[in-house]
Amino acid sequence: LTDYWIYSSEVTNRQYALCVNAGKCLPPNPEQNPAFGNYRFVNVPVVGVNYQQSADYCAFVNGRLPTEAEWEKAARGPEGNLFPWGDAGPACDLLNFNFCNGKTLDIQSYPGGVSYYGLFDMSGNVREWVADWYNPKYYTDGPTEDPLGPQIGEKRSVRSSSYADSADFTFPAHRFSLKPIESLADLGFRCVVDDPTYFAPFCEQLAFIGSGPNGAESDCTPLVSCNSVGVDVSEIDCNVGDKEAITIVNFSVQGIPNSVITDMDAPGCDAGPGALQFTCKESSAGSPAKITGACVDTNKCDPVCGPNYMMDNGSCKWDGSGSVGIACLPGQTYDPVNQCCAAIPGSGVNYNVCPDGTSPIGGGCVADPAKVVDSASKPITFDSCLPPPPDGGCEGPNCPPPGGGCVPKYCTYPQTFDTKSCSCK
C-alpha cells in the first residue's frame, strides 16, 4: 500500500456535528442515534449514517473513506496480527464487544486495544463503512498493490465489529456488506486524509473550565452539588391506558441545565436514550415520584485556554504558534495576518469549537461531563414509580408504606390513591 494518513479513532458525534452545522452533511437517523446533539455523548462514535453521509463528512475534512485494504492494514499492522493488539483473544479490557458494556463508549476508552499504528476501536465499539464495493472473491482475484475494490456493485463493504457482536466477529479480517442507503445504530466510520496539515487552526476557541484538554488542569474543579424535585405520577402520565409515556425532567443549578440521570433504581422505569428521560409503563404507576439529581455548576471555575491559544477579553485566540495550512472549513475564511480561520460574518455557521476532550456547556468547554457528574456525592434515584399492587389493595383506614404488609390499590388515570382513605380519588 502507498503511505496514507488515517484517523486514529472513529468520527464522533461532535466532529460530525461540525459538518451538519456547516450544511455539508445530513443529520444521522434520529431513531438510530437519539443521543446526537446531547453533550454527554459528543465523544462517542457517530452512528445512524449511511454510506453517502460518511463519504460527505470525509470530503468535508478534505479526506475520503479508507479502502478495505487500507482499513485492514491499519488494523492488523505490518505483520498481519490476528487482532489489532496482537494475537491474544478478545477480552472486555481490550475492546467493547459482546455486550461487555451494552452501548457505544468514548472513542479512547480502550488504550490497551490499540493497533500497531495506534488506532482505537479497530475491533469493537461500532462497525465502520469503507470505500469499496463488496465482492466476496475480490481479494482472491484482485490486484495486489493499492487495491481499490470492484468498479461496480450492489453493496458497500463494512469492516470492524460493534459492542453487540460476539468474539467470532472481532477479527479485523471479517468482512460484511450493506446497501449504501442503509444505516445502523452501531455503524459509523473513520476517514483517510491525504494531507493532515491542510487546515489552518481556528482564530478563536471557547475557554475551558475545570479539567482541560489532554489532562491539563485549570485552577479549580467544577463544583458538583445536588438538588431535588418532586414529580407527581399523574403529571408524567405513568398510567395512560395501555401505552407507555415519556417525560423529560431537567435539573439545573443557577439556571444551567446540564445535570444528568446517572442511576435509576425503580421497578418498571427505564432510562431514555438521552439520559434526561425516563419511561414509566402503565404497570409502574404508584405514588408521586421524587427525583434527586446531581447538578454540575460550571460557573465556579475561572476559564483557561488550551495549547496554542491565549486569553483575550474572555475568549481564547490563536497565538500564532504551530500554525499550518491555509484552508478553512465552510463558513470560515483564512486570515493571512493572524494565519488562522475566522468566521465569515452573516454565514450563519457557528462551530462552537472546544479543545479535544472537552465539550461546550454553559458558555465554556467542560471536560467529559460524564466524569464530572460521576464525582457527585449523590446520584439520581427514583423514590417511587412503584409496581402495581394486587387487585383489591389494602383494607382499612390506614395504609402502610410500600414494602410492608398490604399495599395500596392501583388507580387508573387521572385518579390517584389517597393514603388516608385507601381509595382512588
Side-chain angles (χ1 to χ4, degrees), residues 25-382:
C25 293
L26 294 176
N29 183 320
E31 294 182 359
Q32 296 172 343
N33 191 347
F36 186 74
N38 186 320
Y39 76 88
R40 293 190 67 232
F41 302 97
V42 294
N43 291 324
V44 302
V46 64
V47 294
V49 289
N50 61 30
Y51 177 88
Q52 190 60 52
Q53 288 172 294
S54 304
D56 286 345
Y57 173 86
C58 290
F60 171 69
V61 294
N62 193 42
R64 57 178 173 80
L65 288 171
T67 65
E68 276 202 84
E70 288 172 334
W71 190 95
E72 187 169 336
K73 178 66 176 290
R76 301 181 65 184
E79 302 300 324
N81 295 334
L82 290 179
F83 298 98
W85 54 86
D87 292 337
C92 288
D93 60 343
L94 294 174
L95 75 161
N96 184 15
F97 82 116
N98 205 29
F99 288 98
C100 290
N101 293 282
K103 59 182 179 180
T104 56
L105 297 178
D106 186 295
I107 54 172
Q108 295 185 340
S109 297
Y110 291 90
V114 298
S115 74
Y116 175 90
Y117 298 107
L119 276 66
F120 287 83
D121 295 329
M122 296 302 278
S123 286
N125 218 13
V126 300
R127 303 180 178 102
E128 300 180 22
W129 285 110
V130 290
D132 303 28
W133 289 107
Y134 180 76
N135 183 330
K137 296 182 179 181
Y138 179 75
Y139 289 100
T140 300
D141 305 325
T144 59
E145 294 184 7
D146 289 321
L148 300 177
Q151 293 184 354
I152 58 174
E154 295 182 356
K155 294 184 177 182
R156 293 286 187 176
S157 294
V158 174
R159 288 303 193 107
S160 192
S161 54
S162 83
Y163 67 88
D165 285 324
S166 67
D168 293 339
F169 300 98
T170 60
F171 290 95
H174 172 70
R175 302 177 70 208
F176 183 54
S177 65
L178 286 172
K179 294 180 180 179
I181 61 172
E182 293 183 286
S183 59
L184 298 173
D186 58 357
L187 171 61
F189 66 97
R190 70 182 73 214
C191 301
V192 162
V193 293
D194 295 323
D195 181 6
T197 64
Y198 180 77
F199 290 106
F202 294 104
C203 291
E204 290 190 20
Q205 280 189 340
L206 294 173
F208 68 82
I209 304 168
S211 298
N214 303 320
E217 296 289 335
S218 62
D219 294 336
C220 71
T221 301
L223 173 67
V224 178
S225 57
C226 297
N227 68 349
S228 62
V229 60
V231 181
D232 188 83
V233 171
S234 62
E235 294 177 358
I236 62 175
D237 296 342
C238 266
N239 48 346
V240 183
D242 58 354
K243 300 179 180 180
E244 296 181 0
I246 296 177
T247 187
I248 298 177
V249 181
N250 291 299
F251 298 91
S252 65
V253 172
Q254 297 183 0
I256 304 175
N258 60 344
S259 48
V260 296
I261 295 174
T262 56
D263 183 42
M264 208 176 257
D265 184 16
C269 293
D270 301 315
L276 286 177
Q277 297 179 348
F278 65 88
T279 303
C280 291
K281 300 179 182 179
E282 178 186 10
S283 60
S284 307
S287 57
K290 182 181 180 182
I291 308 159
T292 58
C295 298
V296 182
D297 182 356
T298 60
N299 286 338
K300 298 300 183 182
C301 292
D302 294 328
V304 295
C305 295
N308 306 115
Y309 286 83
M310 58 184 178
M311 186 70 70
D312 184 1
N313 294 324
S315 63
C316 295
K317 295 188 176 181
W318 179 250
D319 63 10
S321 61
S323 177
V324 291
I326 61 173
C328 298
L329 295 174
Q332 298 217 342
T333 184
Y334 184 70
D335 181 347
V337 176
N338 296 308
Q339 298 182 343
C340 55
C341 294
I344 300 175
S347 66
V349 177
N350 176 20
Y351 288 104
N352 209 20
V353 177
C354 283
D356 290 342
T358 65
S359 306
I361 303 173
C365 301
V366 180
D368 182 0
K371 296 178 181 178
V372 176
V373 173
D374 286 345
S375 66
S377 59
K378 188 175 183 181
I380 294 174
T381 59
F382 283 89

Side-chain angles (χ1 to χ4, degrees), residues 384-400:
S384 58
C385 269
L386 304 171
D391 188 28
C394 182
E395 298 178 353
N398 298 307
C399 297

Side-chain angles (χ1 to χ4, degrees), residues 2-17:
T2 304
D3 291 344
Y4 58 100
W5 293 92
I6 186 169
Y7 274 34
S8 63
S9 59
E10 293 151 339
V11 172
T12 64
N13 279 329
R14 175 173 53 187
Q15 290 172 305
Y16 192 81

